[in-house]
Amino acid sequence: MPSTSLFSGTPSKSSSGWLEYVLIHYRWVIVIFFLLPASFLYDIYYYTRSWVVFKLSSAPQHHDKKVATVQKQVQAWNGETPMCTARPGWQTISFREGAYKKTCHKVAINLVDVLQIDTEKKTVWCEPLVTMGQLTHTLVELGWTIPVVPEMDDLTVGGLVMGTGIETSSHKQGLFQHICLSYELVLADGSVVTCSKDENPRSLLLSSLVIWHSGLPDGCGNKDHPSSKVCEAETRRTEGNQFVEGLMYSLHSGVVMTANMSNTAEPGKINEIGRWFKPWFFKHVGAYLDKGEGGVEYIPLRDYYHRHTRSIFWEIQDIIPFGNNVVFRYLLGWLVPPKVSLLKLTQGQAVKELYEKNHFIQDMLVPLADMKEALEVFHKEVKIYPLWLCPFKWGDKETLYVDIGSYGTPGVDNFHPERTTRRVEAFVRKVKGFQMMYADSYMTRDEYREMFDHTLYDRMRKELQCEKAFPVVYDKVNRKARI
Ligand SMILES: Cc1cc2nc3c(=O)[nH]c(=O)nc-3n(C[C@H](O)[C@H](O)[C@H](O)COP(=O)(O)OP(=O)(O)OC[C@H]3O[C@@H](n4cnc5c(N)ncnc54)[C@H](O)[C@@H]3O)c2cc1C
Ligand SMILES: NC(=O)C1=CN([C@@H]2O[C@H](COP(=O)(O)OP(=O)(O)OC[C@H]3O[C@@H](n4cnc5c(N)ncnc54)[C@H](OP(=O)(O)O)[C@@H]3O)[C@@H](O)[C@H]2O)C=CC1
Ligand SMILES: CC(C)=CCC[C@@H](C)[C@H]1CC[C@@]2(C)C3=C(CC[C@]12C)[C@@]1(C)CC[C@H](O)C(C)(C)[C@@H]1CC3
């Protein structure tokens, strides 16, 4: 656990007033009494609406009309300020809001529905603002899933396609964009094209796997030091291990979890970890380490997919410090988690500044062969535990990578948001790895272009004549472009 508290820093001179004091020291009051009920009502409305629309099958009839509305807005573009989606920055699953949202020409995209599940072709056709929670609710109930389900409920299909998505099945299935068969795109001139490897049906299609009704991924424990060897061995085992995940609790101790879908369960070993009164997942896993032995559990599929949702990985402990207390869990656990979007909307300047100075949130994707050195770099630079490890493959490339996710308050004395992040970024560039772009990047434009090969990107922007129409990604993701 980080030794320093997020809130040990003093608020800035500009911060004043009781509201600010409450927001910093008693954020949980606002979260429990306002944000949790608001999140709950929002979810009820949203899921009921999606369920009714899906059952009535009304969405496919409206899809073309909605796309035409997008086209009209693009055709009416003034040709000067570049375009972006009208989705406000506070709604997105990233640390900060893009400043470009204030200046760009905004295109409203009201595309929020799962359109069709084709059980013969094993595909699902859905619109870009469909969330992972919505998709798993719809599919798992019918006995289906998609091969890669990034674990936070509110991540959207569009955001994951454009910004990349990863899960513990990614060592077999690749990244989120690799499971997509076809995209329907509105181009800068307002025309619509379909884009896929082969001739294809219209619109965005995600390939999907058949799963069993009430499939239960099993396997939790396997306590071991998840050095790259253990992780790699589990990742490469061909006969199973649909899911591989590691949680490091210190530089030398951690838990590797492997899981497979199963139709049956050993008696007494079913653990519905998603239920409101259950301990936070990372605490539950840590208990295996404390016990010093591994074990096998059978976890319902949806509970497994969203295992880090309730505790927002481990970020919730800074927001509701007593959230894992058994009394709290039984009384109010069913309201948790607060929506990330509502947390963002209500955090205020003082909390923002505290996070800015005392918090580190990064996912770095490095070749598995460099994992040991990477762990040492993270330990030296930030010393934050738990640390998330998720092996994955990159398209057709042979090399295995691992996503190292570090979220929390650094346990080192010399943490500096910019200098520390730049040192970690330099290491990642050195080993030919990548940074995930929901997080803040302090790289210069040249460093960014060194990390991400822009050859295809530049060519497509030229060919499609959209250089003026859409900002380049660097101008959306670098730290200075975010507020
Ligand atoms: C915060 C954020 C904002 C962004 N904003 C924008 C934006 O405004 N505009 C924008 O354009 N992008 C935006 N992006 C997305 C970014 O530009 C994409 O990541 C980039 O375009 C991917 O290019 P690539 O060549 O590296 O992709 P790759 O990862 O190589 O490919 C992407 C997908 O296309 C498939 N593919 C590759 N080649 C072919 C082929 N020949 N035929 C069929 N399929 C193929 C791959 O299998 C893969 O699924 C944003 C990303 C982030 C994180
Ligand atoms: N396990 C995982 O993989 C996790 C991934 N993440 C990250 O979270 C982000 C996704 O969050 P989410 O809130 O869903 O998405 P965002 O709204 O943040 O979208 C990400 C980018 O994709 C663009 N985009 C999204 N939909 C469309 C569309 N229909 N047309 C054109 N551009 C679009 C947005 O463009 P614009 O700027 O114009 O709005 C935005 O810049 C990703 O970057 C992902 O890597 C976060 C947590 C976990
Ligand atoms: C690839 C993977 C697994 C990424 C996981 C990333 C998550 C841990 C990140 C994504 C969005 C994220 C940065 C966020 C936060 C924590 C870490 C999150 C959830 C919080 C909730 C921390 C508290 C902050 O006040 C604030 C509300 C702004 C942010 C919002 C985004």
Side-chain angles (χ1 to χ4, degrees), residues 126-293:
C126 62
E127 296 181 331
L129 282 173
V130 165
T131 65
M132 286 305 105
Q134 185 184 349
L135 205 52
T136 52
H137 264 301
T138 315
L139 290 178
V140 174
E141 204 177 285
L142 301 170
W144 292 82
T145 187
I146 53 168
V148 178
V149 183
E151 57 295 287
M152 294 177 73
D153 273 23
D154 292 341
L155 288 162
T156 63
V157 169
L160 290 165
V161 166
M162 297 296 268
T164 223
I166 189 165
E167 231 311 34
T168 50
S169 59
S170 290
H171 65 289
K172 286 216 154 118
Q173 312 291 352
L175 299 171
F176 193 83
Q177 68 268 27
H178 298 130
I179 63 165
C180 299
L181 295 181
S182 172
Y183 304 95
E184 183 181 37
L185 300 174
V186 175
L187 300 182
D189 61 3
S191 59
V192 182
V193 295
T194 303
C195 160
S196 75
K197 277 197 172 133
D198 313 305
E199 270 307 304
N200 52 71
R202 301 170 322 147
S203 217
L204 181 59
L205 284 164
L206 303 181
S207 67
S208 63
L209 286 180
V210 192
I211 60 140
W212 321 100
H213 267 292
S214 58
L216 304 165
D218 65 296
C220 181
N222 258 345
K223 182 198 99 60
D224 215 326
H225 174 238
S227 65
S228 43
K229 279 215 185 81
V230 177
C231 236
E232 181 159 11
E234 294 300 348
T235 302
R236 289 204 188 274
R237 264 178 37 185
T238 46
E239 73 273 22
N241 292 348
Q242 281 164 307
F243 305 93
V244 178
E245 174 178 30
L247 288 186
M248 296 290 285
Y249 290 83
S250 74
L251 182 59
H252 297 292
S253 61
V255 179
V256 173
M257 287 158 278
T258 60
N260 282 297
M261 290 193 197
S262 162
N263 223 356
T264 54
E266 290 172 60
K269 288 198 177 170
I270 295 180
N271 188 1
E272 295 171 276
I273 54 169
R275 305 209 59 188
W276 76 97
F277 51 83
K278 290 284 180 171
W280 291 336
F281 185 67
F282 73 97
K283 290 279 185 197
H284 172 60
V285 176
Y288 274 97
L289 196 64
D290 298 340
K291 266 193 290 179
E293 59 185 59

Side-chain angles (χ1 to χ4, degrees), residues 27 94 312-313 315 343 347 355 361 363 388 407 438:
R27 194 180 188 186
S94 57
I312 320 184
F313 285 79
E315 286 288 343
L343 281 170
Q347 67 176 340
Y355 269 88
I361 297 179
D363 275 86
W388 194 58
Y407 329 114
Y438 76 84

Side-chain angles (χ1 to χ4, degrees), residues 96-97 437-440 476-483:
R96 265 175 257 266
E97 301 181 22
M437 285 299 131
Y438 76 84
D440 285 338
K476 290 177 156 189
V477 301
N478 83 80
R479 174 64 192 92
K480 290 198 185 95
R482 288 179 169 179
I483 43 175

Side-chain angles (χ1 to χ4, degrees), residues 345-449:
L345 188 65
T346 57
Q347 67 176 340
Q349 192 54 30
V351 173
K352 213 176 189 175
E353 280 176 23
L354 271 179
Y355 269 88
E356 160 90 42
K357 290 188 192 127
N358 303 311
H359 219 72
F360 182 82
I361 297 179
Q362 290 288 342
D363 275 86
M364 295 296 187
L365 318 179
V366 298
L368 199 56
D370 298 298
M371 184 169 110
K372 188 170 173 287
E373 197 187 344
L375 292 179
E376 283 158 6
V377 169
F378 272 91
H379 185 77
K380 180 169 163 257
E381 295 294 350
V382 288
K383 212 182 273 177
I384 295 172
Y385 296 100
L387 205 59
W388 194 58
L389 300 181
C390 178
F392 70 99
K393 68 168 187 171
W394 201 291
D396 298 331
K397 283 186 197 163
E398 256 301 292
T399 327
L400 270 173
Y401 284 72
V402 61
D403 177 343
I404 304 183
S406 178
Y407 329 114
T409 310
V412 292
D413 294 333
N414 61 343
F415 174 73
H416 183 279
E418 180 171 355
R419 288 198 289 270
T420 304
T421 311
R422 279 189 58 73
R423 283 197 294 271
V424 178
E425 286 166 348
F427 167 78
V428 174
R429 280 199 307 280
K430 187 188 90 183
V431 296
K432 306 242 173 310
F434 304 92
Q435 181 174 33
M436 267 183 92
M437 285 299 131
Y438 76 84
D440 285 338
S441 170
Y442 287 91
M443 288 187 286
T444 63
R445 194 176 296 270
D446 286 345
E447 288 165 347
Y448 182 78
R449 290 181 70 89

